[in-house]
mmCIF file of all heavy atoms in Angstrom:
data_model
loop_
_atom_site.group_PDB
_atom_site.id
_atom_site.type_symbol
_atom_site.label_atom_id
_atom_site.label_comp_id
_atom_site.label_asym_id
_atom_site.label_seq_id
_atom_site.Cartn_x
_atom_site.Cartn_y
_atom_site.Cartn_z
ATOM 1 N N MET A 73 156.557 -145.807 -17.648
ATOM 2 C CA MET A 73 155.547 -144.787 -17.426
ATOM 3 C C MET A 73 155.537 -144.403 -15.939
ATOM 4 O O MET A 73 155.449 -145.279 -15.073
ATOM 5 C CB MET A 73 154.187 -145.350 -17.815
ATOM 6 C CG MET A 73 153.093 -144.338 -17.983
ATOM 7 S SD MET A 73 153.060 -143.617 -19.619
ATOM 8 C CE MET A 73 152.382 -144.978 -20.550
ATOM 9 N N ILE A 74 155.607 -143.110 -15.677
ATOM 10 C CA ILE A 74 155.667 -142.626 -14.295
ATOM 11 C C ILE A 74 154.508 -141.674 -14.052
ATOM 12 O O ILE A 74 154.253 -140.767 -14.842
ATOM 13 C CB ILE A 74 156.989 -141.875 -14.044
ATOM 14 C CG1 ILE A 74 158.184 -142.786 -14.337
ATOM 15 C CG2 ILE A 74 157.063 -141.359 -12.605
ATOM 16 C CD1 ILE A 74 159.488 -142.042 -14.477
ATOM 17 N N LEU A 75 153.798 -141.866 -12.939
ATOM 18 C CA LEU A 75 152.712 -140.963 -12.583
ATOM 19 C C LEU A 75 153.294 -139.630 -12.121
ATOM 20 O O LEU A 75 154.130 -139.595 -11.234
ATOM 21 C CB LEU A 75 151.862 -141.585 -11.477
ATOM 22 C CG LEU A 75 150.714 -140.729 -10.938
ATOM 23 C CD1 LEU A 75 149.679 -140.473 -12.028
ATOM 24 C CD2 LEU A 75 150.054 -141.405 -9.734
ATOM 25 N N VAL A 76 152.823 -138.546 -12.731
ATOM 26 C CA VAL A 76 153.309 -137.207 -12.392
ATOM 27 C C VAL A 76 152.379 -136.518 -11.397
ATOM 28 O O VAL A 76 152.814 -135.980 -10.377
ATOM 29 C CB VAL A 76 153.445 -136.339 -13.669
ATOM 30 C CG1 VAL A 76 153.818 -134.902 -13.315
ATOM 31 C CG2 VAL A 76 154.468 -136.949 -14.620
ATOM 32 N N ILE A 77 151.077 -136.553 -11.708
ATOM 33 C CA ILE A 77 150.141 -135.799 -10.895
ATOM 34 C C ILE A 77 148.732 -136.333 -11.117
ATOM 35 O O ILE A 77 148.424 -136.892 -12.182
ATOM 36 C CB ILE A 77 150.238 -134.287 -11.232
ATOM 37 C CG1 ILE A 77 149.645 -133.409 -10.138
ATOM 38 C CG2 ILE A 77 149.641 -133.992 -12.594
ATOM 39 C CD1 ILE A 77 150.036 -131.951 -10.248
ATOM 40 N N ARG A 78 147.893 -136.179 -10.102
ATOM 41 C CA ARG A 78 146.519 -136.680 -10.119
ATOM 42 C C ARG A 78 145.560 -135.562 -9.722
ATOM 43 O O ARG A 78 145.885 -134.728 -8.882
ATOM 44 C CB ARG A 78 146.415 -137.819 -9.109
ATOM 45 C CG ARG A 78 145.035 -138.387 -8.915
ATOM 46 C CD ARG A 78 144.966 -139.262 -7.669
ATOM 47 N NE ARG A 78 144.869 -138.494 -6.453
ATOM 48 C CZ ARG A 78 145.628 -138.674 -5.380
ATOM 49 N NH1 ARG A 78 146.568 -139.588 -5.383
ATOM 50 N NH2 ARG A 78 145.458 -137.941 -4.314
ATOM 51 N N GLN A 79 144.376 -135.588 -10.331
ATOM 52 C CA GLN A 79 143.322 -134.624 -9.977
ATOM 53 C C GLN A 79 141.991 -135.350 -9.846
ATOM 54 O O GLN A 79 141.603 -136.094 -10.755
ATOM 55 C CB GLN A 79 143.198 -133.545 -11.062
ATOM 56 C CG GLN A 79 142.082 -132.546 -10.859
ATOM 57 C CD GLN A 79 142.424 -131.470 -9.842
ATOM 58 O OE1 GLN A 79 143.526 -130.949 -9.792
ATOM 59 N NE2 GLN A 79 141.453 -131.124 -9.003
ATOM 60 N N GLU A 80 141.328 -135.150 -8.724
ATOM 61 C CA GLU A 80 139.990 -135.692 -8.558
ATOM 62 C C GLU A 80 138.986 -134.664 -9.067
ATOM 63 O O GLU A 80 139.081 -133.486 -8.718
ATOM 64 C CB GLU A 80 139.705 -136.001 -7.084
ATOM 65 C CG GLU A 80 140.583 -137.080 -6.491
ATOM 66 C CD GLU A 80 141.835 -136.530 -5.811
ATOM 67 O OE1 GLU A 80 142.382 -135.526 -6.283
ATOM 68 O OE2 GLU A 80 142.258 -137.129 -4.815
ATOM 69 N N ALA A 81 138.010 -135.108 -9.837
ATOM 70 C CA ALA A 81 137.085 -134.169 -10.465
ATOM 71 C C ALA A 81 136.240 -133.407 -9.455
ATOM 72 O O ALA A 81 135.804 -132.287 -9.731
ATOM 73 C CB ALA A 81 136.167 -134.908 -11.437
ATOM 74 N N TYR A 82 136.011 -133.987 -8.279
ATOM 75 C CA TYR A 82 135.161 -133.319 -7.298
ATOM 76 C C TYR A 82 135.905 -132.221 -6.543
ATOM 77 O O TYR A 82 135.303 -131.454 -5.795
ATOM 78 C CB TYR A 82 134.580 -134.334 -6.312
ATOM 79 C CG TYR A 82 135.602 -135.074 -5.484
ATOM 80 C CD1 TYR A 82 136.080 -134.533 -4.296
ATOM 81 C CD2 TYR A 82 136.074 -136.314 -5.874
ATOM 82 C CE1 TYR A 82 137.017 -135.207 -3.522
ATOM 83 C CE2 TYR A 82 137.009 -137.005 -5.113
ATOM 84 C CZ TYR A 82 137.484 -136.442 -3.933
ATOM 85 O OH TYR A 82 138.400 -137.117 -3.177
ATOM 86 N N LYS A 83 137.200 -132.135 -6.741
ATOM 87 C CA LYS A 83 137.999 -131.106 -6.069
ATOM 88 C C LYS A 83 138.177 -129.901 -6.986
ATOM 89 O O LYS A 83 138.633 -130.034 -8.118
ATOM 90 C CB LYS A 83 139.366 -131.652 -5.674
ATOM 91 C CG LYS A 83 139.334 -132.654 -4.533
ATOM 92 C CD LYS A 83 140.739 -132.977 -4.062
ATOM 93 C CE LYS A 83 140.701 -133.915 -2.868
ATOM 94 N NZ LYS A 83 142.064 -134.270 -2.408
ATOM 95 N N GLN A 84 137.847 -128.740 -6.498
ATOM 96 C CA GLN A 84 138.011 -127.526 -7.295
ATOM 97 C C GLN A 84 139.462 -127.057 -7.292
ATOM 98 O O GLN A 84 139.918 -126.429 -8.244
ATOM 99 C CB GLN A 84 137.102 -126.426 -6.787
ATOM 100 C CG GLN A 84 135.615 -126.710 -7.020
ATOM 101 C CD GLN A 84 134.742 -125.532 -6.658
ATOM 102 O OE1 GLN A 84 135.147 -124.661 -5.890
ATOM 103 N NE2 GLN A 84 133.542 -125.501 -7.201
ATOM 104 N N GLN A 85 140.173 -127.351 -6.225
ATOM 105 C CA GLN A 85 141.550 -126.895 -6.112
ATOM 106 C C GLN A 85 142.437 -127.670 -7.067
ATOM 107 O O GLN A 85 142.389 -128.905 -7.134
ATOM 108 C CB GLN A 85 142.054 -127.075 -4.680
ATOM 109 C CG GLN A 85 143.432 -126.504 -4.446
ATOM 110 C CD GLN A 85 143.815 -126.551 -2.976
ATOM 111 O OE1 GLN A 85 143.091 -127.097 -2.157
ATOM 112 N NE2 GLN A 85 144.956 -125.969 -2.646
ATOM 113 N N ASN A 86 143.281 -126.941 -7.786
ATOM 114 C CA ASN A 86 144.200 -127.562 -8.723
ATOM 115 C C ASN A 86 145.318 -128.288 -7.982
ATOM 116 O O ASN A 86 145.882 -127.778 -7.022
ATOM 117 C CB ASN A 86 144.806 -126.509 -9.649
ATOM 118 C CG ASN A 86 143.796 -125.967 -10.632
ATOM 119 O OD1 ASN A 86 142.934 -126.696 -11.116
ATOM 120 N ND2 ASN A 86 143.895 -124.681 -10.933
ATOM 121 N N ALA A 87 145.651 -129.482 -8.472
ATOM 122 C CA ALA A 87 146.703 -130.272 -7.849
ATOM 123 C C ALA A 87 148.083 -129.703 -8.172
ATOM 124 O O ALA A 87 148.299 -129.129 -9.250
ATOM 125 C CB ALA A 87 146.619 -131.721 -8.334
ATOM 126 N N THR A 88 148.985 -129.866 -7.222
ATOM 127 C CA THR A 88 150.371 -129.415 -7.391
ATOM 128 C C THR A 88 151.317 -130.450 -6.809
ATOM 129 O O THR A 88 151.042 -131.003 -5.738
ATOM 130 C CB THR A 88 150.595 -128.067 -6.658
ATOM 131 O OG1 THR A 88 149.728 -127.088 -7.209
ATOM 132 C CG2 THR A 88 152.024 -127.600 -6.811
ATOM 133 N N GLU A 89 152.377 -130.740 -7.541
ATOM 134 C CA GLU A 89 153.432 -131.640 -7.063
ATOM 135 C C GLU A 89 154.772 -131.004 -7.441
ATOM 136 O O GLU A 89 155.248 -131.143 -8.557
ATOM 137 C CB GLU A 89 153.308 -133.026 -7.717
ATOM 138 C CG GLU A 89 152.151 -133.862 -7.254
ATOM 139 C CD GLU A 89 152.347 -134.421 -5.847
ATOM 140 O OE1 GLU A 89 153.501 -134.433 -5.354
ATOM 141 O OE2 GLU A 89 151.331 -134.824 -5.249
ATOM 142 N N ASN A 90 155.338 -130.292 -6.489
ATOM 143 C CA ASN A 90 156.635 -129.642 -6.706
ATOM 144 C C ASN A 90 156.579 -128.725 -7.925
ATOM 145 O O ASN A 90 155.821 -127.756 -7.927
ATOM 146 C CB ASN A 90 157.735 -130.704 -6.835
ATOM 147 C CG ASN A 90 157.832 -131.577 -5.600
ATOM 148 O OD1 ASN A 90 157.839 -131.083 -4.480
ATOM 149 N ND2 ASN A 90 157.882 -132.882 -5.794
ATOM 150 N N ARG A 91 157.327 -129.002 -8.965
ATOM 151 C CA ARG A 91 157.368 -128.110 -10.142
ATOM 152 C C ARG A 91 156.192 -128.350 -11.103
ATOM 153 O O ARG A 91 156.057 -127.644 -12.110
ATOM 154 C CB ARG A 91 158.674 -128.331 -10.898
ATOM 155 C CG ARG A 91 159.935 -128.001 -10.115
ATOM 156 C CD ARG A 91 161.191 -128.177 -10.954
ATOM 157 N NE ARG A 91 161.407 -129.574 -11.341
ATOM 158 C CZ ARG A 91 161.220 -130.034 -12.568
ATOM 159 N NH1 ARG A 91 160.822 -129.222 -13.554
ATOM 160 N NH2 ARG A 91 161.453 -131.311 -12.853
#
Side-chain angles (χ1 to χ4, degrees):
Chain A
M73 195 85 74
I74 302 165
L75 177 64
V76 174
I77 199 165
R78 175 194 78 229
Q79 176 79 41
E80 296 93 326
Y82 62 86
K83 289 189 177 179
Q84 292 187 339
Q85 186 173 5
N86 289 324
T88 299
E89 288 287 343
N90 301 313
R91 298 183 295 107

